[in-house]
Amino acid sequence: MLEIALQTEQGIFQKEISEKQKISFKYLDQIIASLKAAKLITNVKGKKSGYILTQNAEEITLYDIYRAFEPDMSIVDCLSESIHCPDENLCAPRDFWLGLNTQIIEYLMRYTLKDLVERQLAYNSQTSNGLQQEEGG
């Protein structure tokens, strides 16, 4: 998602994403499929099309991206919507895990893809400034 968000209207090819993120093309196929199913990305129109975001980066939270791969956030099994525990209302550890789980969800919802893009651009700028200083002496 970061590589796609860093691009403008022309989009980015899957091969470029694979190379930049150092992940296999086959594994990236699965990631792309999940992101498309979640309607977070789409193909640019055209014969040789790349990928673009379906929304502005500031509208996509990190929780949205997480949800493209997992139906719910459950840091322990007993918090999963698919599991019912008869003791769930009488379990102190569950209350603890539920509180932590809620904090993680809120944290992911607080940050957008735009936040990551801005941070990455700042890192890229630091790297290029460092290279310029080394080259320029």
Side-chain angles (χ1 to χ4, degrees):
M1 287 292 289
L2 179 63
E3 294 300 337
I4 296 169
L6 284 167
Q7 300 304 312
T8 55
E9 301 82 38
Q10 80 270 12
I12 184 170
F13 294 108
Q14 188 169 338
K15 181 179 180 189
E16 292 176 78
I17 298 170
S18 175
E19 290 169 358
K20 289 181 177 191
Q21 290 296 315
K22 298 170 184 66
I23 55 178
S24 76
F25 201 80
K26 187 175 182 179
Y27 181 54
L28 185 56
D29 269 340
Q30 297 170 12
I31 294 170
I32 294 286
S34 293
L35 294 172
K36 286 173 83 173
K39 298 182 180 3
L40 294 175
I41 64 170
T42 190
N43 293 82
V44 177
K45 303 287 186 232
K47 190 173 183 180
K48 289 188 171 185
S49 65
Y51 293 101
I52 59 171
L53 301 175
T54 58
Q55 308 169 57
N56 293 325
E58 62 267 12
E59 297 171 352
I60 301 172
T61 68
L62 297 188
Y63 188 62
D64 294 330
I65 298 168
Y66 174 85
R67 293 289 305 261
F69 303 97
E70 296 292 331
D72 64 1
M73 167 67 72
S74 302
I75 59 172
V76 292
D77 288 341
C78 71
L79 298 179
S80 175
E81 293 173 4
S82 63
I83 294 177
H84 175 70
C85 175
D87 296 327
E88 68 183 27
N89 295 324
L90 305 169
C91 181
R94 185 181 187 282
D95 289 343
F96 170 80
W97 293 121
L98 183 60
L100 182 57
N101 201 73
T102 300
Q103 288 182 19
I104 293 169
I105 291 170
E106 289 171 355
Y107 186 79
L108 291 172
M109 290 178 76
R110 210 169 27 241
Y111 291 93
T112 66
L113 185 54
K114 182 180 179 186
D115 296 325
L116 287 186
V117 167
E118 289 173 350
R119 183 172 286 183
Q120 188 61 54
L121 291 173
Y123 287 145
N124 293 353
S125 176
Q126 288 175 358
T127 302
S128 65
N129 287 340
L131 290 175
Q132 289 172 357
Q133 289 177 354
E134 285 179 21
E135 292 171 357

